[in-house]
């Protein structure tokens, strides 16, 4: 869908480039995660790919065409849900959606979407009376209004309780199952694990690493297994190499003779990888 080559960008008022030469590809039908601490340039990258910022260097191709040459039709094909929900607060939820619907050739059934995210009963309330979570859900509905081919999402579950976050995540997965492509930014590594086919970790305007979540966990983890078992009355914990496990008499003996409490391979978590690659904890 997108091929980005050596992308660079500087905000006019800044001295340094915010995006310092990044290259990546977003394949059709995948959920691609753009990750990294605040201020590394994730939103700026999303804004370039959605044509909100045009004065970049390098090249961005959308469906084999230079993005700079893509016409207004481009907006019919994309759905955008950026972090700060932008709505007309004096209008109701439905009035807001009807306003945006008019901009598009194609429209999804609004009632169905509102029901799905639990806002149908509130559709005639003014958005100014909505909680943050309700605005986030309305923003997500807005991104889907035109039945887009590609969704740009920035922290789509931010401020949602687990039940509502579940609904949004399920809808993102369904969007993908129906052939959609997603560019997702999030700080929640559990969401990344569940949703993303591939991820790029950004650090200081560059891409530090691109891979699948699974390969990253294997690469940065240890090829070890940790066994916790009952040893008479005590609890013991031992670690063995995965590569020599089959011939490890001590390990085999434990498995045969002891009561196992837990047994885990030690691939790392995306949280740990985030910290390792970017050098910061991402909890703000
Ligand atoms: P992220 O989405 O990863 O948190 P951003 O892309 O929002 O990062 O921001 C990257 C950098 O660009 C930050 O240092 C930020 O201060 C700067 N920046 C963002 N928007 C603007 C702007 N409109 N003008 C000037 N600098 C900006």
């Amino acid at each position: 869908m997108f091929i980005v080559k050596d992308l660079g960008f500087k905000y006019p008022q800044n001295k340094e480039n915010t995006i310092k030469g990044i290259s990546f590809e977003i394949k059709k039908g995948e959920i691609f995660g753009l990750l990294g601490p605040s201020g590394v340039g994730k939103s700026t990258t999303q804004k370039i790919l959605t044509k909100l910022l045009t004065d970049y260097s390098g090249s961005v191709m959308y469906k084999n065409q230079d993005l700079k040459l893509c016409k207004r039709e481009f907006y019919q094909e994309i759905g955008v849900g950026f972090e700060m929900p932008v709505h007309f607060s004096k209008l109701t939820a439905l009035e807001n959606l009807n306003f945006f619907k008019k901009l598009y050739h194609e429209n999804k059934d609004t009632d169905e979407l509102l029901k799905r995210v639990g806002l149908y009963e509130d559709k005639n309330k003014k958005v100014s009376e909505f909680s943050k979570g309700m605005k986030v859900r309305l923003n997500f509905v807005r991104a889907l209004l035109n039945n887009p081919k590609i969704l740009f999402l920035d922290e789509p579950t931010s401020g949602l309780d687990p039940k509502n976050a579940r609904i949004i995540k399920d809808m993102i997965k369904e969007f993908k199952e129906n052939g959609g492509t997603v560019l997702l930014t999030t700080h929640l590594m559990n969401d990344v694990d569940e949703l993303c086919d591939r991820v790029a970790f950004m650090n200081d305007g560059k891409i530090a690493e691109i891979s699948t979540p699974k390969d990253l966990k294997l690469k940065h983890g240890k090829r070890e297994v940790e066994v916790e078992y009952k040893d008479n009355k005590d609890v013991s914990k031992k670690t063995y190499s995965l590569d020599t496990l089959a011939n490890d008499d001590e390990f085999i003996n434990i498995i045969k003779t002891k009561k196992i409490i837990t047994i885990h391979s030690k691939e790392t978590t995306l949280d740990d990888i985030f910290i390792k690659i970017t050098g910061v904890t991402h909890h703000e």
Side-chain angles (χ1 to χ4, degrees), residues 11 13-14 18 37-44:
Y11 286 101
Q13 63 270 48
N14 296 359
T18 291
S38 288
V40 291
K42 304 181 300 290
S43 306
T44 303

Side-chain angles (χ1 to χ4, degrees), residues 87-92 96 126-129 135:
H87 301 107
F88 299 110
S89 55
K90 286 187 180 155
L91 301 183
T92 67
N96 265 280
K126 281 190 185 145
V127 171
S128 57
E129 292 164 25
K135 285 183 193 160

Side-chain angles (χ1 to χ4, degrees), residues 113-119 137 140 157 160-174 194:
L113 286 170
L114 286 169
K115 277 182 193 153
R116 189 75 198 278
V117 302
L119 285 179
R137 283 180 278 151
F140 185 73
T157 61
L160 298 184
D161 60 50
K163 181 172 157 256
N164 281 310
R166 174 83 271 139
I167 293 170
I168 300 297
K169 282 188 276 184
D170 285 345
M171 289 174 79
I172 295 172
K173 283 200 256 182
E174 282 165 32
E194 185 186 337

Side-chain angles (χ1 to χ4, degrees), residues 110-159:
T110 325
D111 282 355
E112 192 191 313
L113 286 170
L114 286 169
K115 277 182 193 153
R116 189 75 198 278
V117 302
L119 285 179
Y120 185 72
E121 309 292 322
D122 302 300
K123 69 177 183 177
N124 292 317
K125 265 195 193 154
K126 281 190 185 145
V127 171
S128 57
E129 292 164 25
F130 272 24
S131 68
K132 175 167 187 276
M134 289 164 84
K135 285 183 193 160
V136 169
R137 283 180 278 151
L138 183 61
N139 204 37
F140 185 73
V141 167
R142 204 183 93 186
L144 289 174
L145 266 187
N146 55 330
N147 198 18
K149 292 190 171 61
I150 176 160
L151 256 185
F152 293 87
L153 299 172
D154 195 355
E155 303 285 346
T157 61
S158 142

Side-chain angles (χ1 to χ4, degrees), residues 231-246:
D231 204 3
N232 296 322
K233 284 208 175 98
D234 298 331
V235 172
S236 294
K237 207 187 257 184
K238 290 237 168 156
T239 304
Y240 299 95
S241 163
L242 277 181
D243 297 313
T244 51
L245 212 51

